[in-house]
Amino acid sequence: MSVLLSRRDMLLAACAAGAAASFPFDMARAAEALSVFGPLPPDPAPPGAAKFAEAAFEAWKQAHNAQVSYDLLAWPQLHDRMATAFASGSAPWNVLYMCGWVPEFAAFLAPFADDLPKALVDDLPASSFETVTWQGKRYGAVFTLSLLTLFYNKEHLAEIGFSAAPKDWDEFKRAAKELTRAGRYGFVANYGDPAGIGGTASYWMAFLQQAGGKMYGEDGLPVFKGDAGVAALQMMVDLMPGSDPGSISYAGINDATNVLMAGRASMMMNWPFMWNAAQDPAQSQIVGKLGSALLPAGPAGSASIDGTDAWTVSKASADPALARQLVEFYLDADVQKRQALDTGWLPIRLSVLADPEVQQKLPNAAVVLEQAKHPYNSFVTPDFNQVTQALGTEVQKALQGQKTAAQAIADASELVTAIVKRRG
């Protein structure tokens, strides 16, 4: 703890020194005001919204003579609120959270990431810019390495002779079936919302890549109608007999997470944030029982999807330089470390991911780093929400037994093709 305190003190001193050297100001002058739009905790909220790095945040504001206000919403409401605000010309924010929406809203964003310090960029995975780049310009900075991995109850799996997590699709299906018994299910998911990152469609995208498939061809049109797309959906269908029946109605990841933490399910695909929550006896019945592993391999190996949580800067910001500096503060190594240790949301900075204290507190960090060696494309496009709404709805129909996997994928391909062609 003394090391952490000294580092925090160093950060405060650095902020103060930076202010004296680079930002002289008359204390009587009104502070610059920044407005930040983002998600409510426990989703990935920044300092001042979530409880971490609070002293450093106060020091940053003082050093930059800045006031920072937050406009926070539950995650499912974020996209539509932004879309409405941008369409009406009334988006009041300087810094905005994005989750796969950069291509859709690029016209309203500044390509500020091209101006980030080289030392910072060099400490980020090169792949982290893929989902925030559109037409050659980088509009955002991902701030948490958030890939789906497999979380599982070690005691439950030991009961059926598994000393480790399922390694492939066949083991995954067998374990889910054998683990299901009265009052408990082998697998739980949140398939209630078809669209967006973490919706039904994006789970299928992970299975699609495990089967060796991809969403789009070189011409931008869908290519998932073939064997890989059908195999991915059939795998999801095959898991349903060993799944919590509520999975088809759970709309958010927290709904499914609560089932696993109550001990009523044995496995789920989840984001890294779950690790901290599962170790808290106030909200978890599985303290000390949780394991984390790569997602089971399909015919092409393991694959995942990227949560794409990023900070962007509005093109309309009155002070884009200060807005960029706030994002740089969010990505400061000490702030990133507190983010990881205090909230469970893993850092994106490679140096912090490798920090021994982070890896000790969050053993899943090493698993996520290993998962990142495999494909994790979320296939974001300007019409991502429309595409995932149409695709996810068809996947839901197959999961509910209303269509075969082949028919649902064929129908989804037609719907997505029409959406893409409207884009032009």
Side-chain angles (χ1 to χ4, degrees), residues 217-300:
E218 293 298 323
D219 59 1
L221 291 174
V223 292
F224 59 79
K225 187 179 177 180
D227 292 345
V230 175
L233 182 49
Q234 188 60 54
M235 174 60 188
M236 296 174 72
V237 171
D238 290 347
L239 278 173
M240 289 304 290
S243 299
D244 178 352
S247 296
I248 202 66
S249 62
Y250 296 146
I253 190 67
N254 291 321
D255 298 328
T257 299
N258 289 337
V259 175
L260 192 79
M261 291 199 304
R264 300 197 308 271
S266 303
M267 300 182 293
M268 74 178 299
M269 299 161 66
N270 208 334
W271 310 103
F273 84 94
M274 181 192 170
W275 189 270
N276 257 17
Q279 311 311 318
D280 179 4
Q283 56 182 320
S284 173
Q285 302 296 314
I286 59 169
V287 175
K289 302 177 183 179
L290 188 66
S292 176
L294 298 183
L295 292 182

Side-chain angles (χ1 to χ4, degrees), residues 8 15 39 101 129 180 220 237 288:
R8 187 174 298 173
C15 287
W101 311 315
F129 287 101
T180 298
V237 171

